[in-house]
Structure formats: C-alpha cells, structure tokens
Amino acid sequence: NSNNVVTDFNYTPTHQLPFIKPAASTQVTSHRDLKKIVETTLNSESVLEQAVKLPKGEDLNEWIAVHCVDFYNHVNMLYGTITEFCSPTSCPKMIATNEYEYLWNLYPGKPPVSVSAPKYVECLMQWCQNFFDDENIFPVKENVPFPPQFVGRYCRQILKRLFRVYAHIYCHHFNEIFEMNLQILLNTSFRHFCLFTRNFGLLTDEDYGPLLELVNDLTSK
Amino acid sequence: LSRSPKKLPTDFYSKASSSKTKRLVDVCQMFFLDYYCDMFDYVISRRERTREVAMMLKDQPNEQEVASAWQGYFQKESYALRKRRLKPRTKDFE
C-alpha cells in the first residue's frame, strides 16, 4: 500500500507528489477524493513542520508577510462557516473561555471596549486589510524594502489578533465545526499557525493564553 | 456515558442545512484543499530549484561569480514569493 511511504516526508517530489496532487491516473471526481489526498499528506508527521521553515536565502520579512496574508485568509474562511452561529446574541462578547475577553479599540484615543464576537472579527479583518493594502507596510513592487521593525510592529500584532479568532472558534464553536465536519481543516490550519509562530518566536506564551496547552501539544512531537 | 452531550444551538441543524451555510462550508473546503496543494507544491518545487542551482554552481571555480549567481537567484525567488502574497485571493465570499 502506497500510504506507508508517507512517514518519511523529505520533500523529494518524486515520491511525495502522489500524496499532494492526484497522479494522472487518479480520477478526482468530487472534492471528497481530493480531500482524502490532502488529508493523507497532512496527517503524516512533520509535513507542516518542514513547510514553515525559512527557505534557503529567503528574507525573513518576506516569508512572514506571506504567512500573515495566508493565515488571514484561513481565519476568514473558517470564521465564514460559522457566521450563522456566531451572532451578537450568541456571542455578545469576544471571549475565549470565561477567563479571556478581547477588547477592541473602537474609539481611537479612548480605552478599548467590549464588543460582540462578530463585531470584533469584522473590525479585526478590516484592520488587517488596511495594513495589507498599504504599500508602505506590505510592499508590492520588486526590491522595495519592508519598513523598519516590520515584524515587531505589524506582523506580530496581526498574528496575535488572528490567534484570538482561532481561540474563540475552539472555545465556543468547536461543536458546530465538528458537526459540519470541518475539524480537520481547523486543526490543520491552527497547527500550521502554531508551528509557524513558534518556529519564528512570534508569539509569547501569554499570547496563546486560553489555548497554550493545545498549542504545546500541537507543536511538540 | 458513551457520548458526552454536545452543546449545539437549538436551531443548529436548520442553520447548518441552509444553503448559505452549505455553500460557505463547500467554499471553505475547496479553499483549504487548494491552498495546501498549492503551498506544498510551492515549497517542494522551490527546494528543487535551489538544489538545481547548487548543482550547477558546484564546480564553478570563481567565487565571486558563484556569490552573485546565488544572489540573483535569491532575488528572483524572493520576488516570486512576494507576488504570491499579492495574487488575488478567495476572500470575497461573505
């Protein structure tokens, strides 16, 4: 059985590709087939661990910038599936467990305030989008450098806040996600996020707050 | 004991089977399949390209030429990566 080959994933395309892309002979008729193929890959150990590593010769800023946008898209997609279940009525506060509430700086110059979870996510996504659209922060043209302290000033803040959406989903909507059979996607995306942020030391244990134990589990072998 | 009770909103099933939710779930699944296929493909082929450059430069005696060849290659890769960040993404589904 070819499934056994996956355990040693060392990125030699010849023997990995069958698990990542369907071979020419594989008939993919529905995305259920495709899903199986990617799942096979994602379930094998260390695939994501390797994928988060900085490629040889790459600029760290560029690598982190791409991942900020990627994880922003992940969170957008995952949260999108529970929009029907995460309303100002069901989630009047942006919380993760009863111990953590995240406030949003809704009125600039004033202290941050308590907002509903959907409102928080809406503000957060717009706030990220504004950074991504600003060419002085996320440069677009070739050879235009990133601003000083790009990672500390922007990326860390973005990732720290995106994490809170994962936290809210895990703590308050995991049953819905599970019933819709999206838990593998959520886990994969979140594990990818954790491996990435841990690998580059982007978030502190405090930032992982309510999910610290899960993060430790997911990032240790 | 066999199954712990699940806290689901009372109207979970009607909402979960609504066409809007179903569509969002489908879009989400397609998005992640696409993303991870594409991401692994990128990481793998990039390593392969780097390996090829290393092979090509292995027997090149002129150190300066080797250094500048690597630099040119890294610049090209870096810009390709930047363009990946900018490519239109599936973000306008809500």
Side-chain angles (χ1 to χ4, degrees), chain A residues 36-205:
Chain A
K36 241 181 225 140
I37 291 154
V38 172
E39 273 164 18
T40 319
T41 317
L42 294 178
N43 285 341
S44 69
E45 290 297 311
S46 84
V47 180
L48 285 169
E49 277 94 329
Q50 297 211 28
V52 300
K53 297 264 157 65
L54 185 69
K56 184 180 161 74
E58 187 52 79
D59 173 21
L60 185 61
N61 286 335
E62 197 71 66
W63 188 238
I64 294 178
V66 174
H67 282 82
C68 282
V69 176
D70 283 359
F71 292 127
Y72 164 89
N73 288 325
H74 287 199
V75 165
N76 217 3
M77 279 293 151
L78 291 166
Y79 187 77
T81 63
I82 56 155
T83 41
E84 289 285 293
F85 312 112
C86 185
S87 67
T89 327
S90 71
C91 306
K93 291 173 170 193
M94 178 60 176
I95 53 169
T97 73
N98 287 328
E99 284 176 61
Y100 290 84
E101 180 180 1
Y102 303 114
L103 308 177
W104 191 262
N105 192 7
L106 203 56
Y107 311 105
K110 299 224 173 117
V113 292
S114 176
V115 292
S116 72
K119 180 74 184 165
Y120 186 97
V121 176
E122 185 200 323
C123 293
L124 167 56
M125 293 326 237
Q126 190 54 56
W127 175 82
C128 290
Q129 193 63 56
N130 292 345
F131 285 139
F132 298 153
D133 290 343
D134 187 341
E135 287 190 31
N136 296 315
I137 299 173
F138 281 80
V140 169
K141 296 193 183 75
E142 192 169 9
N143 295 327
V144 175
F146 287 88
Q149 285 135 44
F150 169 69
V151 172
R153 276 171 69 195
Y154 304 105
C155 298
R156 216 188 87 74
Q157 306 307 320
I158 290 171
L159 294 168
K160 193 170 128 178
R161 290 190 166 93
L162 286 176
F163 170 85
R164 297 168 177 180
V165 185
Y166 284 114
H168 180 71
I169 296 176
Y170 268 104
C171 297
H172 302 284
H173 298 286
F174 192 75
N175 289 337
E176 283 110 301
I177 291 281
F178 194 87
E179 285 297 305
M180 294 188 287
N181 206 20
L182 293 170
Q183 72 279 16
I184 293 167
L185 297 185
L186 175 66
N187 290 341
T188 303
S189 166
F190 183 61
R191 182 153 170 273
H192 187 190
F193 177 93
C194 294
L195 288 167
F196 186 80
T197 51
R198 270 276 153 89
N199 189 58
F200 297 104
L202 295 166
L203 299 185
T204 63
D205 280 1

Side-chain angles (χ1 to χ4, degrees), chain B residues 13-25:
Chain B
Y13 288 103
S14 64
K15 278 182 178 172
S17 58
S18 75
S19 59
K20 186 189 172 204
T21 303
K22 276 186 173 163
R23 185 178 57 94
L24 287 168
V25 168

Side-chain angles (χ1 to χ4, degrees), chain B residues 8 13 16 25 30 32-33 36 40 49 52 54 56 62 66 71 73 79 82-83 86 88 90 93-94:
Chain B
L8 285 170
Y13 288 103
V25 168
M30 287 309 287
F32 277 103
L33 282 172
Y36 280 108
F40 287 127
R49 286 194 296 275
E52 273 164 25
M56 242 163 52
N62 186 330
V66 170
Q71 216 210 343
Y73 165 71
Y79 185 49
R82 179 168 290 191
K83 282 193 291 196
L86 303 171
T90 35
F93 280 104
E94 275 158 294

Side-chain angles (χ1 to χ4, degrees), chain B residues 24-54:
Chain B
L24 287 168
V25 168
D26 281 349
V27 166
C28 181
Q29 276 173 340
M30 287 309 287
F31 167 82
F32 277 103
L33 282 172
D34 229 49
Y35 172 81
Y36 280 108
C37 288
D38 178 66
M39 192 271 281
F40 287 127
D41 184 40
Y42 172 77
V43 170
I44 292 166
S45 45
R46 177 163 180 170
R47 284 192 190 191
E48 206 42 36
R49 286 194 296 275
T50 306
R51 195 173 303 163
E52 273 164 25
V53 173

